[in-house]
Amino acid sequence: MATFDSSLEQVFPVKASPERVAAHFADLSAIAAATTQAVSTALDEEARTVHFVLGEQQHGPYTFQPDYTVRYVLEGDTLTWDTLSGNTDHRGVATFAPRADGGTDIQYRTTLSFDLPIPRLLAGPIKGIVARIAQPSLRKYVVNMLASLPAA
């Protein structure tokens, strides 16, 4: 088995207040809706988790269907998330820093990792390709969250 991962680290400036942006990014329904590759989601508000099943991924002759549960915790100006179970590891942190103009800088870092049944010797050249394929999806999720940010 070989592990593949893709990461995104970027600052996203928005005009809304840090409190409003943080609340939106921690909203489980908004998270599920912004994950456009999901074929199904199940929310547990009490446990602060979302169970995701994403569409089947094709990487050469290998297919993979991400199926995992993530817990989201908002403490002050910081949202963290981490996988509790499943075949995909999704973890990250977002901080919501106030700007002088009343807006917010979202400092966003996330990593998505999964294993494919590829011999490690053959995985080297494929790892960079998989990372580049997954990164736009990570960015699209944030863009979707920003687009669905409720008006003040």
Side-chain angles (χ1 to χ4, degrees), residues 66-150:
D67 183 343
Y68 57 103
T69 300
V70 179
R71 181 169 185 250
Y72 296 84
V73 177
L74 178 62
E75 292 179 344
D77 66 352
T78 302
L79 175 67
T80 59
W81 57 96
D82 201 1
T83 299
L84 297 178
S85 62
N87 63 5
T88 301
D89 182 35
H90 189 197
R91 61 193 174 285
V93 61
T95 57
F96 308 96
R99 290 195 339 237
D101 66 0
T104 302
D105 279 334
I106 305 167
Q107 298 167 349
Y108 191 88
R109 286 184 319 214
T110 192
T111 299
L112 186 69
S113 303
F114 55 91
D115 293 326
L116 287 179
I118 297 173
R120 289 178 197 217
L121 226 48
L122 300 176
I126 300 171
K127 284 188 175 200
I129 295 167
V130 171
R132 284 190 300 277
I133 290 170
Q135 195 171 54
S137 295
L138 296 174
R139 186 174 288 107
K140 182 173 173 45
Y141 165 78
V142 179
V143 170
N144 290 344
M145 287 296 286
L146 294 173
S148 66
L149 185 64

Side-chain angles (χ1 to χ4, degrees), residues 11 15 40 55 110 122:
V11 175
K15 293 182 180 180
S40 74
T110 192
L122 300 176

Side-chain angles (χ1 to χ4, degrees), residues 19-98:
E19 297 78 19
R20 192 161 64 98
V21 177
H24 178 65
F25 270 74
D27 181 315
L28 299 184
S29 295
I31 291 166
T35 307
T36 56
Q37 292 183 336
V39 293
S40 74
T41 57
L43 313 180
D44 183 338
E45 292 286 347
E46 188 174 321
R48 300 289 309 143
T49 62
V50 180
H51 176 209
F52 297 98
V53 178
L54 303 185
E56 190 172 84
Q57 311 289 307
Q58 180 87 31
H59 299 288
Y62 303 100
T63 58
F64 175 73
Q65 184 159 29
D67 183 343
Y68 57 103
T69 300
V70 179
R71 181 169 185 250
Y72 296 84
V73 177
L74 178 62
E75 292 179 344
D77 66 352
T78 302
L79 175 67
T80 59
W81 57 96
D82 201 1
T83 299
L84 297 178
S85 62
N87 63 5
T88 301
D89 182 35
H90 189 197
R91 61 193 174 285
V93 61
T95 57
F96 308 96

